[in-house]
Amino acid sequence: MQKNRGDFGLVGKRGQVTIFIIIAIVIVVLGALIYLFYPSLKSTLGFETKNPSQVLEECLSEDLKTTIDAIGVHGGTLNPGNYITYKDDKIEYLCYVNEYYKPCVNQKPNLIGEIENQIYLSINDKANLCFDQMKKSYENAGYEVQVDNSKVDVVLLPKRVGVIFNGTVVLTRGESQRFKGFNVVLNNNIYELASIAQSIANWEARYGDADVTNYMNYYRNLKVQKLKRDDGSKLYIITDTNTENKFQFGVRSYAFPAGY
């Protein structure tokens, strides 16, 4: 029995629809596979090589933040020597005198430099370890690696803390890539908080007191507390209300005997 052209046309259209459906399914499956495995494919096929600064930042940033937070809690140092206690924390005196009726003497005239040094001492070993781990990760990815990790510096800047690696990395896999000077940058305003603490300590050394309301009126994002002790000591707590970053320190200036 002979089929008419209409029957053949109907069959052909159904076949085309089926093919389109199959193609659509294949496209969706391929898209899902690429979405799931693209990061590993990039790594395997060499589509992406992380910059050394990015690798170092991923390794070091958490330790850096922990160190800075601890320094802020303890008055600009990790190991207070001459300190006041508050909520089981030892908090360094920034201005101190062990006598009555006399102004305090500034204990940390270069507070910013002291903090930079404290951060360096705390993270230097981890920074070198991160550099070694970075080298191994590149080697595992098939690179020939030449590393010169000569020196690490720490610098406090407005609204950020920088760890500077003054070294060189050369990656070779076919072509060579040369990277020199790597920065790990953490958004943190310990520079501003420590500068205000230094200003308060200077007022205490000169006048025996500081008006915290002046600082809060000028810096709207700050909360500055002054807690007095019976021994004539004061505890200042500077808090950034936007970030909850904190810097606290002790002062003992123009102290009077108890009951005076």
Side-chain angles (χ1 to χ4, degrees), residues 43-64:
S43 176
T44 303
L45 300 177
F47 293 158
E48 178 185 56
T49 299
K50 289 183 179 179
N51 185 288
S53 289
Q54 183 181 354
V55 177
L56 292 170
E57 184 169 343
E58 291 173 356
C59 178
L60 190 60
S61 58
E62 185 174 343
D63 290 72
L64 181 60

Side-chain angles (χ1 to χ4, degrees), residues 18 28 40 49 98 101 172:
T18 301
V28 170
S40 59
T49 299
N98 190 25
Y101 312 112
T172 303

Side-chain angles (χ1 to χ4, degrees), residues 31 59 150 185 190 209 218 245:
C59 178
S150 56
V185 179
I190 191 171
D209 198 21
Y218 189 80
N245 292 336

Side-chain angles (χ1 to χ4, degrees), residues 135-161:
K135 181 175 182 290
K136 290 179 182 178
S137 68
Y138 283 133
E139 289 173 340
N140 291 337
Y143 287 94
E144 179 183 336
V145 185
Q146 296 178 346
V147 173
D148 172 25
N149 180 19
S150 56
K151 188 180 178 183
V152 176
D153 291 320
V154 175
V155 58
L156 266 61
L157 299 168
K159 297 184 180 180
R160 58 182 62 87
V161 177

Side-chain angles (χ1 to χ4, degrees), residues 210-236:
D211 186 354
V212 299
T213 58
N214 288 335
Y215 292 93
M216 289 188 288
N217 288 336
Y218 189 80
Y219 302 99
R220 296 290 183 172
N221 62 312
L222 291 185
K223 176 183 179 182
V224 185
Q225 299 168 272
K226 178 169 58 177
L227 309 178
K228 296 182 178 181
R229 297 290 182 85
D230 291 338
D231 67 348
S233 295
K234 303 169 192 173
L235 173 67
Y236 286 92

Side-chain angles (χ1 to χ4, degrees), residues 82 93-107 201 204-206 208 231-234 250-256:
N82 184 24
Y93 281 105
L94 293 190
C95 199
Y96 182 82
V97 63
N98 190 25
E99 297 180 67
Y100 292 114
Y101 312 112
K102 290 188 176 182
C104 64
V105 177
N106 198 326
Q107 305 295 298
E204 285 279 0
R206 186 169 183 178
D231 67 348
S233 295
K234 303 169 192 173
V251 166
R252 190 177 190 271
S253 185
Y254 285 106
F256 300 100

